[in-house]
Amino acid sequence: MPPDEEFLAFWNEWLAQPRKTRPDLGETLHKRWPVKADRIAYYRWSGRRADERLHARQMTNISPEELTEMLATMNYNNEIARGKLVNVLERSVVPWLPVGSDRAGGIYRIVPGAYGLLPDQQDPKTNRELVSMNVLGINTNVQPAIPFRSRKANFSEESTKSNESDDSDSASFVFHQIGNLEYWGGNPDNLRTYEDAANGTWFPTRFHAVMRFGRNGAANGVFVIYDFYPEDEYLQERRKLDDPDWGYLPSGLSDQQPISIAKIADKITDLRFGRTFDFVGPLDYPVELVRAMKTPEDTTIRVTVA
């Protein structure tokens, strides 16, 4: 049986040939190793190598500063750029991002992840290409029937038209998910360094941090959105929340009204410990999340539900 070094030399030799004239891998492999057992050994080696490379990529360190820079500067309309971001957000080892303290003294951080929120309809009918669910849209002028809350005037239960994300002050937009919002559970006086934060106790809030982006694909504000599809502990599946007790912050800041969505920063680079922030423009009623889709102009728009 050929050694691993021979397999690696064969692969590099084949890969070095011009793509347009590169011979079929299977045929080249058969010529190189006519014995079936040798070819099987090559495929097993190739599989192990792919797994090792994937593991190495997942474990590759990225600093909080590098992640922040990536989130701040990338083109969110670009599929390749989004793929690279998801790869980073879903790694086994990825740094969390400090957010700051709210006016009630609650301290928050973002634990990166690309797939926290779910749309109200996961498989809508559309003739356009759907974007992966790390990108979703929000319609703030639509109020789903569940969970119940007094309906806002002229608000429907489902969206009836699709709207493009833009750079205006429209409250409805598309966004990329960036992670879970967590709350510091210890004494605030004990949180002085990143080491304290790493060793301390953090609790989930059921809010997820997202990056709004405009028609040009540029970042346009950091928001938090409440997760209306929490996992059922008994059924071990995610189901739509049907409970009036939702949207309250653990710091007590939102004791009077629940929050479905609010802005926490104009720019991702604003986030840091020692910063006091407000939950800007909070909405106190359930909102509709929808899938996003590509346009022929390579922009991203929300999908109509109804």
Side-chain angles (χ1 to χ4, degrees), residues 46-117:
S46 180
R48 290 196 307 271
R49 184 168 180 269
D51 290 342
E52 290 169 358
R53 289 167 65 89
L54 175 60
H55 179 71
R57 190 163 60 247
Q58 290 175 335
M59 297 298 290
T60 300
N61 290 332
I62 182 172
S63 69
E65 294 77 16
E66 290 171 328
L67 177 56
T68 298
E69 177 72 11
M70 187 177 192
L71 291 167
T73 61
M74 66 173 276
N75 180 357
Y76 287 89
N77 281 329
N78 186 284
E79 186 175 0
I80 295 176
R82 291 199 309 268
K84 292 180 179 178
L85 176 61
V86 171
N87 176 266
V88 170
L89 296 177
E90 292 294 314
R91 286 179 183 175
S92 302
V93 178
V94 61
W96 46 264
L97 301 176
V99 173
S101 304
D102 65 21
R103 287 184 289 104
I107 303 173
Y108 300 87
R109 71 175 182 178
I110 296 172
V111 177
Y115 297 101
L117 298 168

Side-chain angles (χ1 to χ4, degrees), residues 57-305:
R57 190 163 60 247
Q58 290 175 335
M59 297 298 290
T60 300
N61 290 332
I62 182 172
S63 69
E65 294 77 16
E66 290 171 328
L67 177 56
T68 298
E69 177 72 11
M70 187 177 192
L71 291 167
T73 61
M74 66 173 276
N75 180 357
Y76 287 89
N77 281 329
N78 186 284
E79 186 175 0
I80 295 176
R82 291 199 309 268
K84 292 180 179 178
L85 176 61
V86 171
N87 176 266
V88 170
L89 296 177
E90 292 294 314
R91 286 179 183 175
S92 302
V93 178
V94 61
W96 46 264
L97 301 176
V99 173
S101 304
D102 65 21
R103 287 184 289 104
I107 303 173
Y108 300 87
R109 71 175 182 178
I110 296 172
V111 177
Y115 297 101
L117 298 168
L118 291 178
D120 288 288
Q121 192 174 118
Q122 296 190 33
D123 190 24
K125 295 180 180 179
T126 176
N127 294 326
R128 291 179 174 174
E129 180 183 351
L130 290 172
V131 177
S132 174
M133 284 198 291
N134 50 289
V135 174
L136 295 174
I138 182 169
N139 291 320
T140 58
N141 58 350
V142 176
Q143 183 177 339
I146 300 174
F148 174 78
R149 189 165 177 79
S150 297
R151 182 164 300 282
K152 301 295 181 181
N154 301 321
F155 277 22
S156 63
E157 294 183 6
E158 290 184 329
S159 57
T160 56
K161 64 178 182 179
S162 176
N163 298 294
E164 290 193 28
S165 171
D166 56 32
D167 296 321
S168 71
D169 293 328
S170 171
S172 298
F173 54 87
V174 292
F175 60 84
H176 195 296
Q177 305 191 54
I178 61 175
N180 303 323
L181 185 70
E182 292 191 343
Y183 173 80
W184 173 253
N187 186 329
D189 294 335
N190 294 334
L191 183 55
R192 298 185 179 90
T193 66
Y194 273 83
E195 185 177 356
D196 293 337
N199 296 327
T201 303
W202 294 86
F203 295 105
T205 63
R206 281 195 177 176
F207 284 88
H208 294 266
V210 306
M211 180 69 77
R212 172 181 178 170
F213 61 94
R215 184 179 301 166
N216 61 357
N220 191 21
V222 185
F223 291 73
V224 291
I225 300 176
Y226 190 78
D227 180 11
F228 287 101
Y229 284 88
E231 184 172 356
D232 188 297
E233 297 180 359
Y234 299 100
L235 298 177
Q236 294 186 338
E237 64 181 19
R238 299 183 66 174
R239 309 186 72 178
K240 185 67 178 283
L241 182 71
D242 190 6
D243 188 323
D245 187 20
W246 60 267
Y248 292 96
L249 295 164
S251 68
L253 187 64
S254 62
D255 276 349
Q256 299 303 315
Q257 296 287 350
I259 294 175
S260 61
I261 176 175
K263 188 177 185 178
I264 62 171
D266 291 327
K267 299 178 293 183
I268 192 75
T269 52
D270 293 337
L271 305 185
R272 64 185 184 279
F273 285 147
R275 156 188 179 260
T276 300
F277 70 94
D278 289 313
F279 289 88
V280 179
L283 300 183
D284 64 355
Y285 55 88
V287 291
E288 179 189 55
L289 297 186
V290 296
R291 293 291 301 272
M293 60 187 179
K294 293 176 59 177
T295 70
E297 296 76 27
D298 286 329
T299 61
T300 310
I301 63 174
R302 288 162 275 148
V303 174
T304 301
V305 170

Side-chain angles (χ1 to χ4, degrees), residues 6-79:
E6 188 174 340
F7 290 147
L8 180 59
F10 166 81
W11 168 253
N12 289 333
E13 180 182 340
W14 179 83
L15 195 63
Q17 300 179 66
R19 178 172 297 183
K20 292 184 178 180
T21 59
R22 187 183 296 161
D24 179 76
L25 177 61
E27 294 178 0
T28 308
L29 189 66
H30 198 282
K31 292 179 181 178
R32 180 66 173 270
W33 291 294
V35 178
K36 184 177 181 180
D38 291 343
R39 297 195 300 275
I40 292 175
Y42 170 82
Y43 285 124
R44 288 175 177 170
W45 167 84
S46 180
R48 290 196 307 271
R49 184 168 180 269
D51 290 342
E52 290 169 358
R53 289 167 65 89
L54 175 60
H55 179 71
R57 190 163 60 247
Q58 290 175 335
M59 297 298 290
T60 300
N61 290 332
I62 182 172
S63 69
E65 294 77 16
E66 290 171 328
L67 177 56
T68 298
E69 177 72 11
M70 187 177 192
L71 291 167
T73 61
M74 66 173 276
N75 180 357
Y76 287 89
N77 281 329
N78 186 284
E79 186 175 0

